């Protein structure tokens, strides 16, 4: 299992990429895998075989109206662990609460 953070955007699409990025996020959300979208990245949790086709479809959707796409992927691969999309954040929040 792993958490993948990725950012995808079409190049040459003008100042706003809201439309193509929204389509990519829709694909991730419809995958049924745990996910979260922030201002810079979308995180998705699952196995390589589950997640990579979703990232591929999201990338293809984001670039459907253009000729070039920028894709950045970061992965935290931790076999045997699930629920880490929320678990990692919860552990940090607990630590911060304990320190105050």
């Amino acid at each position: 299992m792993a958490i993948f953070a990725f950012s995808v955007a079409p190049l040459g699409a003008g100042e706003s990429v809201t439309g193509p990025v929204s389509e990519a996020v829709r694909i991730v959300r419809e995958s049924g895998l745990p996910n979260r979208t922030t201002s810079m990245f979308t995180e998705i949790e699952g196995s390589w075989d589950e997640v990579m086709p979703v990232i591929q479809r999201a990338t293809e959707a984001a670039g459907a109206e253009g000729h070039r796409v920028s894709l950045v992927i970061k992965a935290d691969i931790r076999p045997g662990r699930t629920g880490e999309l929320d678990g990692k954040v919860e552990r940090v929040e607990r630590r911060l609460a304990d320190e105050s």
Side-chain angles (χ1 to χ4, degrees):
M1 296 299 287
I3 298 171
F4 296 84
F6 76 100
S7 174
V8 61
L11 301 177
E15 187 174 327
S16 176
V17 295
T18 302
V21 170
S22 296
E23 184 59 22
V25 170
R26 183 189 62 75
I27 289 167
V28 171
R29 291 182 178 174
E30 289 178 353
S31 75
L33 295 170
N35 66 84
R36 174 183 303 127
T37 299
T38 66
S39 62
M40 297 283 293
F41 285 92
T42 294
E43 299 170 333
I44 183 169
E45 184 173 16
S47 70
W48 283 93
D49 293 340
E50 294 170 319
V51 172
M52 294 313 264
V54 176
I55 293 175
Q56 180 179 2
R57 287 194 309 273
T59 302
E60 290 168 350
E65 295 180 24
H67 64 292
R68 194 171 183 182
V69 178
S70 172
L71 173 65
V72 175
I73 302 174
K74 180 177 181 180
D76 179 1
I77 302 162
R78 197 166 182 189
R81 298 292 294 254
T82 60
E84 289 298 287
L85 188 65
D86 294 320
K88 290 174 73 167
V89 175
E90 290 167 0
R91 287 189 296 276
V92 168
E93 294 296 339
R94 275 196 306 270
R95 172 69 63 94
L96 291 170
D98 290 346
E99 292 175 356
S100 49

